[in-house]
Amino acid sequence: MSAPPELPELVTRALRMSLQHGYVMASRNETGRLLATLAATRSGTMAECGTGCGVGAAWLRVGAPKGTRVLTAELDPELAHGVMEMFAGDDIDVMHADWSTLAEHAPFSLIFIDAESARHSPREEIIDMLETGGMIVLDDFSPSTNWPPMESGRVDQLRQAWLTDERFTSVDVMVAPDTSVLIAVKR
Ligand SMILES: C[S@@+](CC[C@H](N)C(=O)[O-])C[C@H]1O[C@@H](n2cnc3c(N)ncnc32)[C@H](O)[C@@H]1O
């Protein structure tokens, strides 16, 4: 194990909610620890596209300095309102909304989104929400040692687009044997 097994209380609460809802899409701990570390370098407002049961938002809040804002949007009403209730008083703003409405609160110093959601979203819309020097963290890729990167036997065009976009400095980090996370910083 590469990190202490204890989890922050905020994260434990969100994981408990995932368990209660049988929600299997929550971010894994390796990704969460990376996310918290990146959030610790940020100021301003950070945004998450797709709250789920609040695991990613919890890790963001754990890492983010005081005075920063953590905002997260979830389309599913039951999940959104459940997380709102769970995080009442925890300095995390939960919206029951399509993530595209986050644009009203942009620019962001960090955006966290899973690869599947990003595949169904216009990339330029995401880029427009990032401030200069801001970073996007894309979760849930399959590790690939090839170039171009592959996903299910095909070229992973989303990952290729982020890794070759000259407006960004980017890296694909394998956080676990079955998961990699892409980090791209807007120049
Ligand atoms: C992979 S899960 C997110 C996991 C979460 N970020 C975490 O760290 O545990 C994707 C979530 O996005 C939500 N979602 C899908 N489309 C959305 C949209 N257009 N706007 C907001 N949320 C959306 C889904 O309901 C689902 O809960």
Side-chain angles (χ1 to χ4, degrees):
M1 186 171 293
S2 60
E6 297 80 21
L7 293 172
E9 190 275 332
L10 208 55
V11 173
T12 304
R13 239 192 288 155
L15 287 171
R16 201 174 299 132
M17 176 173 165
S18 306
L19 209 59
Q20 282 162 356
H21 284 253
Y23 186 85
V24 294
M25 293 186 285
S27 289
R28 53 191 304 157
N29 294 341
E30 292 88 342
T31 303
R33 291 187 197 280
L34 175 63
L35 194 58
T37 305
L38 295 171
T41 71
R42 305 286 88 191
S43 56
T45 306
M46 282 155 257
E48 178 186 40
C49 305
T51 312
C53 290
V55 175
W59 281 112
L60 281 173
R61 188 65 275 167
V62 163
K66 279 200 173 70
T68 53
R69 184 176 186 204
V70 173
L71 188 59
T72 179
E74 170 60 52
L75 205 52
D76 181 296
E78 194 187 333
L79 292 177
H81 290 284
V83 177
M84 248 178 242
E85 212 173 291
M86 175 175 66
F87 287 157
D90 287 313
D91 201 15
I92 297 172
D93 294 332
V94 185
M95 294 164 62
H96 170 215
D98 188 293
W99 69 257
S100 59
T101 62
L102 286 168
E104 294 161 22
H105 306 273
F108 300 121
S109 57
L110 184 154
I111 294 175
F112 180 48
I113 184 168
D114 64 278
E116 195 50 32
S117 297
R119 285 185 207 288
H120 298 108
S121 314
R123 215 166 64 85
E124 291 304 319
E125 249 182 59
I126 303 175
I127 292 172
D128 285 347
M129 294 198 290
L130 270 182
E131 65 188 26
T132 301
M135 63 173 69
I136 176 150
V137 183
L138 286 137
D139 187 16
D140 281 343
F141 287 108
S142 304
S144 170
T145 50
N146 301 324
W147 185 260
M150 305 295 284
E151 180 83 40
S152 308
R154 296 180 171 211
V155 171
D156 186 344
Q157 294 185 347
L158 176 71
R159 200 166 2 172
Q160 188 179 24
W162 280 106
L163 290 169
T164 56
D165 189 328
E166 293 190 347
R167 295 169 291 176
F168 288 83
T169 300
S170 53
V171 65
D172 185 1
V173 183
M174 189 172 125
V175 294
D178 60 347
T179 306
S180 84
V181 173
L182 192 150
I183 303 163
V185 177
K186 195 174 184 180
R187 294 174 192 272

